[in-house]
Amino acid sequence: MWQQVEITLNAYSRGFHLITADIEHALNELSPVRYGLLHLFIKHSSASLTINENADPTVRDDMERHFNQFVPENAPYYRHTYEGPDDMPAHIKASTLGSSVSVPLSNGKMNLGLWQGVYLGEHRDYAGSRTVVLTVSGE
Amino acid sequence: MWQQVEITLNAYSRGFHLITADIEHALNELSPVRYGLLHLFIKHSSASLTINENADPTVRDDMERHFNQFVPENAPYYRHTYEGPDDMPAHIKASTLGSSVSVPLSNGKMNLGLWQGVYLGEHRDYAGSRTVVLTVSGE
Amino acid sequence: MWQQVEITLNAYSRGFHLITADIEHALNELSPVRYGLLHLFIKHSSASLTINENADPTVRDDMERHFNQFVPENAPYYRHTYEGPDDMPAHIKASTLGSSVSVPLSNGKMNLGLWQGVYLGEHRDYAGSRTVVLTVSGE
């Protein structure tokens, strides 16, 4: 059984944001599978999806500060700079963190660890809403 | 055909560890698929799964030293510090490396390159055993 | 429906290269699926696959310069050095960027964003051709 739907996330500020509830909401609109996989794909090259700690907002803040330090703006070796200082770092963060996550589905729900959630990494200063494709497979 | 099983890895010390044999062992308990995918998902936000070189232990040691250098402990910008200096770096490494890997299955076996193996990245100083969900799909 | 094929990419120079057309070409040889997933897996531990910007070659060049800066050659802590200064950095880049990408398939085509393409990360100075396994599933 295969199901696929595109959802539009709210526009978020630059940083990491917990979107587990948005994903669960979209998943609840689909037919549940007993065993399977949920694949999430973000259709943008300056934002990312990742799995991380779901409880303490300072984790998301520390992630943002860390990646700003190690994927700096205005590095002297950047050539792709015409959309602003956040442009090239956003592309590098997108590849470092990845454009997709996949999560096991068990009894119709995401089988995440107790402390895991789905993060949107919004890497642009002023981005609009982002599109995510959900693909559900299983039986 | 969909199959899913959770396994518990032995507790490992901080660093990178080859767990290909553990995965093969669990896979051998399931019905083989001719063409398909094996999806591995670690249910923790301070450990990771990745694919890398399977022969020389110094690769795993160099990985550990590299990530300790570029995801440092005690960075002045960390706020999420109450579980110790290894806490926030563990979360950042988990997202940088990822919580899942997926490997093609061909004739019932993981279709890895000759020099590839599955690594556990254990990013905490004193972690217990870790849970990994295997999802096998194919035909 | 499951389909699997291995393709051999041309040998590329060190750096990031857009291989979307190669993937589309291989995909066109397979039976199209209405909804599904394309899984790409590179069978090497010193090269990577990632999704990023598909239009401006300076993005690929900036990615190469960035990763050379933050995964440096000749770091004093490397022990795995006998294949040359590009050896250990190649392994670290492979794990940071990942050995696989998966892309939703919709109406027989990769459902990428307008500005997204598939990149090969070639991390060795003198590598030969690289093997990629395509696994297509869906209905």
Side-chain angles (χ1 to χ4, degrees), chain C residues 50-117:
Chain C
T50 191
I51 306 278
N52 218 310
E53 205 262 4
N54 64 8
D56 183 352
T58 63
V59 173
R60 275 102 78 191
D61 293 347
D62 285 0
M63 290 268 286
E64 177 64 10
R65 282 186 286 262
H66 174 80
F67 281 100
N68 289 339
Q69 187 82 11
F70 283 90
V71 188
E73 298 196 346
N74 303 309
Y77 48 80
Y78 293 152
R79 295 292 169 274
H80 179 85
T81 54
Y82 49 84
E83 282 185 43
D86 59 323
D87 183 7
M88 193 58 220
H91 291 306
I92 296 170
K93 292 168 181 174
S95 273
T96 301
L97 290 155
S99 0
S100 70
V101 292
S102 46
V103 179
L105 293 171
S106 308
N107 300 315
K109 292 191 187 310
M110 286 194 279
N111 189 351
L112 293 165
L114 187 61
W115 300 103
Q116 285 180 310

Side-chain angles (χ1 to χ4, degrees), chain A residues 7-10 12 17-29 38 40 49-54 60 103 109-110 112 116-120 132 134:
Chain A
I7 64 170
T8 304
L9 299 174
N10 293 330
Y12 279 97
H17 304 278
L18 200 55
I19 57 165
T20 316
D22 302 82
I23 303 303
E24 283 171 344
H25 181 80
L27 195 58
N28 287 339
E29 302 290 302
L38 169 64
L40 304 173
L49 296 174
T50 191
I51 305 279
N52 218 310
E53 204 263 4
N54 64 8
R60 275 101 80 192
V103 179
K109 294 193 187 308
M110 285 193 279
L112 293 165
Q116 286 179 311
V118 182
Y119 282 22
L120 165 71
V132 172
L134 283 77

Side-chain angles (χ1 to χ4, degrees), chain A residues 8 30 39 43 46 49 55 58-59 76 87-88 98 118-119 124:
Chain A
T8 304
L30 303 176
H39 183 266
K43 292 177 71 172
S46 57
L49 296 174
T58 63
V59 173
D87 183 6
M88 193 57 220
V118 182
Y119 282 22
R124 297 303 309 263

Side-chain angles (χ1 to χ4, degrees), chain A residues 76-87:
Chain A
Y77 48 81
Y78 293 153
R79 295 294 170 271
H80 179 84
T81 54
Y82 49 84
E83 282 185 43
D86 60 322
D87 183 6

Side-chain angles (χ1 to χ4, degrees), chain B residues 80-129:
Chain B
H80 179 84
T81 53
Y82 50 83
E83 281 185 42
D86 59 323
D87 183 6
M88 193 58 218
H91 292 305
I92 296 169
K93 291 168 182 172
S95 274
T96 301
L97 290 155
S99 0
S100 70
V101 292
S102 46
V103 180
L105 293 171
S106 309
N107 300 316
K109 294 192 187 309
M110 286 193 278
N111 189 352
L112 293 165
L114 187 61
W115 300 104
Q116 286 180 311
V118 182
Y119 282 22
L120 165 71
E122 175 53 74
H123 306 309
R124 295 304 308 266
D125 287 340
Y126 304 104
S129 56

